[in-house]
Amino acid sequence: MAASNGGTNQHGLHLVNQLNESRSPYVRGHKENPVAWQMWGPESLGLAKKHNRLLFVSIGYAACHWCHVMERESFSSPEVAQLLNDYFIPIKIDREERPDVDAIYMNYVQATTGSGGWPLNVFVTPDLEPVFGGTYWPGPNNSMTAVGTVVAETVGFLDILQKMKDVWTTQEARCRESAREITRQLRDFAEEGVHSHSHQMGEKGEGEGLEIELLEDAYQHYARKYDKVNGGFSIAPKFPTPVNLGFLLRLGQWPQAVRDVVGEEESAKAAAMAVNTLRKMARGGIRDQIGYGFARYSVTRDWSLPHFEKMLYDQGQLLDAYLDAFLMTRDPEMIGAVYDIASYLTSPPIAAPNGGFFCAEDADSYPSKSDNEKREGAYYVWSLKQFNGVLGERDGDVCARFYGVTADGNVDSMNDPHDEFISQNVLKIASTPSALAKKLGMSESTITETLKEGRTKLRQHRESLRPRPALDDKIIVSWNGLVISALSRTYAALRATDTSKASECLNAAISAVAFIKKELWDPDTKTLYRVFREGRGATTGLCDDYAFLIHGLIDLYEATFDDAYLEFADTLQKRQYELFTSSDSPGFYTTPSPHPPDLLMRLKSGMDAAEPSSNNISARNLYRLSSMLDDASYFKLAGVTVQAFEAEVEQFPHTFPGMLGSVVMGRLGLKGVILAGNNEEILEQLRQQVAPNRTIIALGGGKGQWLKQRNALLKEMNTEKDNVLVCEGGACREGAKFL
């Protein structure tokens, strides 16, 4: 928008920073920048066309550490601002509000540089075609001290801006031609799988594609990549990637036909790799050892040094993974992590006061209330002196030994480019009560009590004296769906042994659904909206919002057997099909039809990453709903959804771990358990199992009236008489012996 307080007028356009209009905490965090940031929308895109300028699109999120670094180094710089304001249209985007825009340009940066991440910075033509992009670039206010690092060798942002200005001024035609060509290649790549699928469907017929053997191929990949010392499947940085852990945990929980293909020993090894990874994470610095929750990833191979931001989608998925691991092993460390994550999700600041869950906590914060400069991890790190000051010398020594705290600090200087961690310690589990008891000549019970009291004192000290990291208080439907699912499953598993904790989990899940239904669902237009912050956001729901919420509703139904949740899931599933599919291309698009004019292309999400793909979850939802509702059309649509990615899954099965579960469901079907009357004992047995291809519905006692109308199989059933039906392979058998 033309106004004051922005770029100079000598270039025919005078911009003003527009970010005060945004509700996003991340975007609003740049409203005081001298850069005349614009919002992504018709007006700013129109300015690029009218004045023939490159768009500089910068995408990040509130909890992103390097996003904050670049804001301080570059976007607060008058030199950077002058170049951006005079020669470009600078646009700031919150990736959590517009993951559709982010995905397009992330694909470009990954394709052209071999890596990606945030902040994501892309120079784009007025036709939205990418010219050049990357992630973090050092700015004129760069304060890096680490020598020889990748950061130190990176070309500076000012140089990049000058180069892009010159290239667009002197070689515009060449820029446009190159951008058109790379856009064509990106489009072809995005459609490659579905084109392959469309060709093969005519030759093979439905259901003749992907084989169960692909699960063995995926397992072998993870077995080769497995870090036997530290857990995980990479060197560094290390991400939890819960969807991969879920695949490995559940590999031996599928029907015998899968274990016959993969191997009993291999299935057991898969679970052992996942459990060991979860254990190493639970003991590492990636876990908030005195508070709750997990950081997004570890900088180090041994999980000891995280980037400290906490993301909601990680908590939901990790709760799921730790719960599976506990149900399969009964390991106390696994249930300890379940309780910690559940506590994090059901308490402030993540639990929103009116229902739902906020999306993230920042990595950076002020070390104390008197400081005016934020540091990464300041809320979480400790010096030995601070330990002893809070706990006293004796208890401080015990806790320091347990958590790996030393006088010199436990962060390698190579991992500390800003010198923020000198003499500081990231807490990790470095010993055991029994080992400490032997070493210190104390009883194990005394050590255990000292550690328990010490953890409480440290947490209380931290909460009372240290400013908490900034909260990104957006409520995002898709991530809430993941948490609703995990909390519902946790309730079901804990209900018989810890009624209080189970109720906390269930009440939080129910409140989240009620909030979404009230604030983000329009029943008249059957429209789901993606984000709530200071009111409903303008962005309508994307495919993952529908898919992940349906996923959560199905699990909430299995926790409560209130078929209002299943009815809502059915409504959303039908609407998702209407909005995100097309007759000439299988699978679900990320964005709804009609094609939004501000997007270069429509994509389909199939590969799993930090979050599961929307098509993975959609296929699973469809299979589960087909079983619960006895709806063959849903089963058919699930198969078509899986086959949309057939070429890619066959080539790289390990990148589709979630989809491989749907391959099994399509091949072997699901086991549908119908409980009528009073079957509490049987239900509790089922809830203590991990059975990925099983659904449960329960009727009687006033429950299931809608379900009886929706599922033709149930219409004439006497739901008040105690009974168990097990339905699979097109037939139902009566009796618990068939479970």
Side-chain angles (χ1 to χ4, degrees):
M1 178 180 289
S4 61
N5 194 25
T8 60
N9 217 14
Q10 67 220 45
H11 301 282
L13 177 63
H14 199 54
L15 298 172
V16 64
N17 190 311
Q18 297 291 312
L19 301 190
N20 191 51
E21 298 175 7
S22 173
R23 292 177 180 171
S24 160
Y26 169 69
V27 173
R28 287 176 64 87
H30 294 72
K31 68 180 181 178
E32 301 298 334
N33 291 164
V35 176
W37 292 111
Q38 305 296 292
M39 307 268 282
W40 180 270
E43 184 174 356
S44 56
L45 302 184
L47 284 175
K49 282 185 175 291
K50 181 178 179 181
H51 296 273
N52 196 35
R53 289 191 182 187
L54 284 175
L55 295 135
F56 172 70
V57 182
S58 183
I59 305 173
Y61 58 98
C64 167
H65 170 69
W66 288 103
C67 299
H68 295 307
V69 172
M70 196 161 181
E71 191 272 334
R72 291 193 300 268
E73 291 183 357
S74 293
F75 303 141
S76 297
S77 162
E79 297 172 271
V80 168
Q82 184 166 3
L83 277 169
L84 281 172
N85 298 345
D86 288 355
Y87 297 99
F88 304 90
I89 304 295
I91 293 180
K92 180 58 67 175
I93 297 177
D94 185 334
R95 71 169 293 262
E96 295 161 0
E97 290 187 333
R98 293 302 304 265
D100 48 347
V101 178
D102 176 71
I104 291 169
Y105 297 116
M106 182 63 76
N107 283 355
Y108 164 74
V109 168
Q110 288 176 329
T112 54
T113 71
S115 63
W118 297 276
L120 177 66
N121 298 299
V122 188
F123 295 89
V124 177
T125 72
D127 296 322
L128 306 183
E129 296 172 335
V131 176
F132 179 74
T135 54
Y136 164 80
W137 293 310
N141 299 326
N142 174 33
S143 61
M144 293 291 183
T145 59
V147 178
T149 63
V150 173
V151 169
E153 298 168 0
T154 303
V155 178
F157 186 41
L158 273 175
D159 294 332
I160 290 170
L161 285 173
Q162 188 64 51
K163 181 68 173 178
M164 293 308 301
K165 175 190 81 104
D166 294 343
V167 167
W168 185 251
T169 302
T170 62
Q171 303 178 53
E172 179 187 332
R174 183 178 174 186
C175 275
R176 286 182 178 273
E177 182 181 352
S178 174
R180 278 193 294 269
E181 174 59 21
I182 192 67
T183 299
R184 182 192 63 77
Q185 293 176 15
L186 289 170
R187 261 198 199 99
D188 289 348
F189 181 77
E191 292 295 329
E192 189 175 77
V194 295
H195 285 165
S196 169
H197 162 81
S198 299
H199 172 71
Q200 293 172 359
M201 277 290 285
E203 297 177 353
K204 294 184 178 181
E206 188 180 327
E208 298 180 18
L210 298 170
E211 301 286 350
I212 291 174
E213 282 76 10
L214 290 167
L215 279 76
E216 182 186 13
D217 294 342
Y219 161 75
Q220 293 296 344
H221 168 85
Y222 290 118
R224 288 192 300 271
K225 294 288 185 180
Y226 180 57
D227 182 343
K228 296 179 182 178
V229 175
N230 302 295
F233 304 90
S234 63
I235 300 173
K238 254 183 178 152
F239 290 81
T241 52
V243 69
N244 298 347
L245 299 176
F247 166 78
L248 293 168
L249 284 167
R250 295 181 172 207
L251 197 54
Q253 308 303 308
W254 292 103
Q256 186 63 45
V258 175
R259 300 197 296 279
D260 289 343
V261 170
V262 176
E264 294 283 359
E265 184 178 348
E266 288 77 5
S267 298
K269 285 181 178 178
M273 288 191 295
V275 170
N276 189 49
T277 298
L278 290 167
R279 182 176 291 112
K280 295 292 187 180
M281 287 169 51
R283 295 176 180 178
I286 193 173
R287 181 183 183 182
D288 183 354
Q289 294 293 346
I290 64 167
Y292 307 108
F294 283 75
R296 190 168 75 93
Y297 70 96
S298 174
V299 176
T300 55
R301 185 170 185 167
D302 62 356
W303 307 103
S304 62
L305 177 62
H307 266 313
F308 291 87
E309 63 263 34
K310 293 178 181 176
M311 309 303 297
L312 184 66
Y313 60 79
D314 280 324
Q315 315 308 321
Q317 293 180 91
L318 284 171
L319 178 56
D320 232 12
Y322 278 105
L323 181 63
D324 278 354
F326 169 70
L327 291 174
M328 292 166 59
T329 66
R330 301 292 156 172
D331 187 325
E333 284 191 83
M334 301 300 109
I335 194 62
V338 167
Y339 270 70
D340 272 8
I341 300 171
S343 295
Y344 183 67
L345 291 169
T346 57
S347 306
I350 290 300
N354 296 319
F357 309 96
F358 295 135
C359 67
E361 284 192 278
D362 204 340
D364 302 355
S365 60
Y366 298 107
S368 70
K369 293 179 180 179
S370 60
D371 282 289
N372 55 16
E373 183 178 337
K374 290 184 177 182
R375 294 183 183 177
E376 184 185 5
Y379 188 68
Y380 302 99
V381 297
W382 299 82
S383 68
L384 181 60
K385 182 179 178 181
Q386 288 172 325
F387 246 54
N388 291 335
V390 174
L391 302 175
E393 191 170 330
R394 193 208 73 151
D395 289 2
D397 180 53
V398 171
C399 290
R401 291 171 185 267
F402 183 74
Y403 289 119
V405 174
T406 69
D408 294 331
N410 62 10
V411 178
D412 192 310
S413 60
M414 290 298 292
N415 295 317
D416 187 18
H418 293 287
D419 290 338
E420 293 176 308
F421 299 125
I422 295 173
S423 300
Q424 297 295 313
N425 296 269
V426 179
L427 305 191
K428 59 186 179 182
I429 306 301
S431 187
T432 64
S434 60
L436 288 175
K438 186 175 181 180
K439 189 165 190 174
L440 298 174
M442 302 166 69
S443 69
E444 187 171 338
S445 61
T446 299
I447 294 289
T448 300
E449 187 62 27
T450 299
L451 292 172
K452 182 180 178 181
E453 291 178 358
R455 185 187 189 205
T456 300
K457 288 179 181 178
L458 290 168
R459 184 168 65 247
Q460 289 173 345
H461 175 88
R462 189 176 78 175
E463 291 175 352
S464 61
L465 296 179
R466 295 183 180 182
R468 189 148 189 147
L471 176 70
D472 188 338
D473 57 350
K474 300 191 305 292
I475 293 176
I476 300 173
V477 169
S478 60
W479 298 359
N480 272 252
L482 293 174
V483 173
I484 291 164
S485 167
L487 288 175
S488 298
R489 292 190 63 234
T490 304
Y491 160 78
L494 298 182
R495 178 171 168 265
T497 56
D498 190 339
T499 305
S500 176
K501 195 66 179 179
S503 296
E504 284 181 18
C505 295
L506 181 63
N507 291 338
I510 289 173
S511 295
V513 171
F515 180 87
I516 291 170
K517 205 166 185 181
K518 177 184 176 184
E519 301 291 351
L520 293 167
W521 169 248
D522 185 335
D524 296 328
T525 61
K526 293 187 178 179
T527 301
L528 185 65
Y529 289 83
R530 178 172 177 80
V531 178
F532 184 96
R533 184 179 187 271
E534 298 175 355
R536 187 172 72 190
T539 305
T540 55
L542 302 176
C543 187
D544 63 344
D545 295 304
Y546 283 83
F548 295 3
L549 180 55
I550 294 166
H551 172 60
L553 288 166
I554 294 172
D555 283 321
L556 185 54
Y557 167 75
E558 286 196 334
T560 63
F561 299 115
D562 182 344
D563 62 3
Y565 298 122
L566 208 54
E567 182 179 6
F568 190 23
D570 190 34
T571 299
L572 289 170
Q573 186 61 73
K574 291 172 181 175
R575 187 61 172 151
Q576 184 196 16
Y577 175 75
E578 293 170 358
L579 290 173
F580 298 95
T581 62
S582 68
S583 58
D584 60 348
S585 182
F588 290 87
Y589 284 103
T590 300
T591 52
S593 58
H595 179 61
D598 63 348
L599 292 180
L600 192 59
M601 62 187 77
R602 289 180 86 190
L603 300 177
K604 291 178 183 173
S605 164
M607 289 190 293
D608 298 305
E611 300 172 49
S613 79
S614 53
N615 275 279
N616 153 20
I617 298 296
S618 295
R620 190 193 312 180
N621 291 342
L622 287 161
Y623 276 128
R624 294 175 75 191
L625 288 172
S626 74
S627 172
M628 298 169 119
L629 304 178
D630 192 32
D631 191 325
S633 68
Y634 279 168
F635 192 92
K636 181 178 180 180
L637 180 57
V640 170
T641 301
V642 173
Q643 289 179 32
F645 300 90
E646 185 171 326
E648 297 97 319
V649 176
E650 286 182 334
Q651 191 171 4
F652 304 108
H654 65 276
T655 63
F656 295 82
M659 195 79 78
L660 293 177
S662 291
V663 171
V664 176
M665 292 183 192
R667 284 287 176 184
L668 303 181
L670 287 81
K671 177 183 287 187
V673 177
I674 303 171
L675 303 177
N678 183 5
N679 283 287
E680 279 295 318
E681 187 176 336
I682 292 173
L683 176 61
E684 184 53 36
Q685 291 173 3
L686 296 175
R687 284 175 163 173
Q688 297 304 311
Q689 301 168 359
V690 177
N693 71 318
R694 184 187 65 206
T695 61
I696 307 173
I697 61 176
L699 307 101
K703 292 186 175 182
Q705 295 308 306
W706 173 84
L707 190 53
K708 286 186 71 173
Q709 297 303 311
R710 179 67 172 84
N711 184 337
L713 189 67
L714 307 175
K715 283 186 178 178
E716 305 303 323
M717 184 177 179
N718 180 358
T719 57
E720 301 306 321
K721 178 185 176 183
D722 295 354
N723 198 4
V724 178
L725 283 179
V726 181
C727 301
E728 55 185 332
C732 294
R733 294 177 292 180
E734 189 172 329
K737 64 182 179 181
F738 297 110
L739 291 171

